[in-house]
Amino acid sequence: MEINREKLCTSKADVSSDSAYHCSTCHDDEEWSNTSRGRAKSRSLSASPALGSTKEFRRTRSLHGPCPVTTFGPKACMLQNPKTIMHIQDPASQRLTWNKPPKSVLVIKKIRDASLLQPFKELCVYLTEENNMIVYVEKKVLEDPAIANDDNFGPVKKKFCTFREDYDDISNQIDFIICLGGDGTLLYASSLFQGSVPPVMAFHLGSLGFLTPFNFENFQSQVTQVIEGNAALVLRSRLKVKVVKEHREKMTVQNGIEENGVVSTNIEKEVGKQIMQYQVLNEVVVDRGPSSYLSNVDVFLDGHLITTVQGDGVIVSTPTGSTAYAAAAGASMIHPNVPAIMITPICPHSLSFRPIVVPAGVELKIMLSPDARNTAWVSFDGRKRQEICHGDSISITTSCYPLPSICFRDPVSDWFESLAECLHWNVRKKQNNFAVEE
């Protein structure tokens, strides 16, 4: 639900009465209406003060409750930021819709799993023959002998569009994604899209299934509902990671003698910087790798050093990743709708080092400490593992491209059901009650 800009800018009296949105002492009406691009539209009426009164609030189901009044006393107010676009919605209002009917679907199947062959074939036949959709499949999936040698599946297989990871760009060709497998298939789907991600429908055909809420028994009706746009969404935030490496190359000097007479066979020469970027759904893990020494990495928050991690490493995770490696390392579990970044140490050499949660808008930077005895290693959702040396840096912040995951029921019910079914959260034997005396 959007707020009509005309209602907010009709007169100075209206502006003063709606002081929760705009302070006339900081901005005049004309400047605010021109520079606050989408500012008023990004707010939900259910989470905003009632128009005409800053003391009354409507009831809301938003995770952050009512939007706070941004005027304090008779003269103080919060400076408005026209570039602020982050909006915390009511989870129940996050619904899927289509601007145009979807025509192409990417089917991701777990590799080397014979139990998924029959569901994969049934789904592809349903999509191509009954819904007349264009199906994209990774090329190595069709190289499976059980699929390649199936003559009955041949006519369907000829209709597929194939691609290769890291070679073919399909980001602008996919309307939505269907995953068959476990949580790893959803992570893999996320890695294929470094920008905007199509809606993802994940079927539980793996071992854990915390992120895959759908069962395959009634897949026809469930897929039909998604195609018709009748489904709830949970926006799983991702991390935008930038790795900057001091690019060095070893050069061998003739006769092992430099110009100054020092004997040396190999010389490391800086020849520039190498920059790599990743979109991460679960976590960024920095660890000590094969070294027997403690890892020593400095963690900066918005340019300020906040701590040095001495231990096996550190995990920087999204709310989605809080139930993965971070939970095994002792962190709390965060609902995917909460805008946050979690920092969790791995076996810290300090009793007081507890996991912390920081706002989603901050920028973290991780570097080797100057006095670190050895290098560190970093991985992104368990992939692209690489070594981090002195002078290299890892910058992490919340990405503006979340992964829209289609819910079975709704974001809250699905999450608590996964906690109970997959992680057996708070399961214990019931305490006996007292016997009632007659």
Side-chain angles (χ1 to χ4, degrees):
M1 187 180 296
E2 296 181 352
I3 299 175
N4 192 343
R5 182 177 295 180
E6 295 179 357
K7 294 182 179 179
L8 294 177
C9 302
T10 52
S11 65
K12 292 184 178 180
D14 292 336
V15 172
S16 61
S17 64
D18 301 331
S19 57
Y21 299 102
H22 166 55
C23 176
S24 58
T25 61
C26 295
H27 305 273
D28 55 34
D29 296 346
E30 182 179 358
E31 179 184 0
W32 179 75
S33 62
N34 290 334
T35 59
S36 59
R37 183 190 62 190
R39 178 67 179 179
K41 291 184 178 181
S42 67
R43 296 188 180 275
S44 171
L45 282 178
S46 63
S48 303
L51 295 178
S53 173
T54 58
K55 295 182 180 180
E56 296 179 3
F57 294 89
R58 297 187 181 185
R59 301 296 296 175
T60 177
R61 293 178 58 195
S62 173
L63 291 176
H64 275 192
C67 182
V69 174
T70 55
T71 57
F72 318 106
K75 294 184 178 180
C77 65
M78 183 179 293
L79 182 65
Q80 299 294 326
N81 182 5
K83 295 183 179 180
T84 301
I85 59 174
M86 178 172 261
H87 174 48
I88 309 303
Q89 288 186 325
D90 177 358
S93 69
Q94 298 175 181
R95 306 288 300 183
L96 173 66
T97 185
W98 301 104
N99 296 325
K100 296 180 180 179
K103 291 296 183 182
S104 60
V105 56
L106 169 62
V107 179
I108 297 179
K109 184 186 82 70
K110 187 178 179 181
I111 306 296
R112 295 185 298 273
D113 192 338
S115 64
L116 298 181
L117 292 176
Q118 189 60 32
F120 172 75
K121 295 176 181 179
E122 292 179 9
L123 175 64
C124 292
V125 170
Y126 175 75
L127 292 172
T128 55
E129 297 185 357
E130 297 191 29
N131 287 277
N132 196 26
M133 301 195 73
I134 302 173
V135 177
Y136 284 77
V137 179
E138 194 170 9
K139 190 174 182 180
K140 61 184 178 182
V141 172
L142 300 182
E143 294 174 354
D144 191 321
I147 296 178
N149 299 329
D150 189 348
D151 297 333
N152 296 328
F153 193 64
V156 177
K157 186 174 62 175
K158 291 180 180 179
K159 300 179 182 180
F160 290 163
C161 295
T162 60
F163 72 97
R164 296 173 298 170
E165 183 188 6
D166 297 330
Y167 285 94
D168 302 319
D169 184 13
I170 59 172
S171 56
N172 295 324
Q173 303 173 24
I174 304 300
D175 293 330
F176 73 102
I177 305 169
I178 297 180
C179 294
L180 303 177
D183 296 342
T185 58
L186 187 66
L187 296 175
Y188 179 67
S190 173
S191 68
L192 294 176
F193 296 86
Q194 296 301 301
S196 178
V197 186
V200 181
M201 184 180 190
F203 285 94
H204 174 34
L205 293 169
S207 55
L208 183 62
F210 191 89
L211 306 178
T212 54
F214 289 93
N215 293 320
F216 195 76
E217 285 77 13
N218 301 317
F219 77 93
Q220 295 94 338
S221 60
Q222 294 170 347
V223 171
T224 300
Q225 286 185 354
V226 172
I227 295 175
E228 294 174 353
N230 183 22
L233 284 177
V234 56
L235 300 181
R236 299 187 178 275
S237 63
R238 299 196 294 175
L239 297 176
K240 182 176 69 173
V241 186
K242 183 173 71 172
V243 180
V244 179
K245 289 189 173 183
E246 298 290 344
H247 190 63
R248 302 175 180 88
E249 62 181 16
K250 292 185 177 181
M251 302 176 61
T252 302
V253 182
Q254 293 181 358
N255 299 326
I257 301 177
E258 295 182 22
E259 294 180 357
N260 56 6
V262 179
V263 178
S264 176
T265 55
N266 293 315
I267 301 175
E268 289 189 355
K269 182 180 179 180
E270 293 188 7
V271 294
K273 293 184 178 181
Q274 182 183 8
I275 300 177
M276 295 161 287
Q277 293 188 359
Y278 305 96
Q279 296 283 333
V280 177
L281 178 60
N282 260 2
E283 74 268 309
V284 178
V285 178
V286 181
D287 58 65
R288 59 189 176 94
S291 173
S292 60
Y293 299 109
L294 291 175
S295 70
N296 275 267
V297 293
D298 295 334
V299 180
F300 299 84
L301 191 148
D302 288 339
H304 301 284
L305 177 66
I306 58 172
T307 191
T308 298
V309 180
Q310 295 187 98
D312 282 355
V314 63
I315 306 168
V316 180
S317 61
T318 63
T320 297
S322 68
T323 53
Y325 193 178
S332 298
M333 294 177 287
I334 306 175
H335 190 276
N337 275 107
V338 178
I341 298 176
M342 173 167 281
I343 304 173
T344 307
I346 307 173
C347 298
H349 206 249
S350 170
L351 294 177
S352 60
F353 198 165
R354 293 291 182 263
I356 61 172
V357 178
V358 297
V362 303
E363 182 177 4
L364 297 170
K365 179 177 286 188
I366 300 177
M367 300 180 67
L368 270 180
S369 299
D371 55 351
R373 294 184 176 183
N374 212 331
T375 61
W377 289 76
V378 62
S379 61
F380 314 94
D381 284 341
R383 297 162 55 90
K384 309 292 184 180
R385 187 169 172 82
Q386 53 194 274
E387 190 175 15
I388 299 298
C389 304
H390 286 89
D392 301 342
S393 65
I394 306 168
S395 298
I396 305 170
T397 189
T398 300
S399 172
C400 60
Y401 299 109
L403 183 140
S405 180
I406 299 174
C407 301
F408 179 69
R409 291 187 178 88
D410 60 79
V412 176
S413 299
D414 284 9
W415 191 68
F416 277 101
E417 186 172 346
S418 294
L419 288 181
E421 294 293 329
C422 301
L423 300 183
H424 304 290
W425 177 63
N426 196 28
V427 175
R428 76 177 294 272
K429 188 177 180 180
K430 286 286 186 180
Q431 186 182 42
N432 294 329
N433 61 347
F434 289 116
V436 179
E437 296 181 0
E438 296 182 359

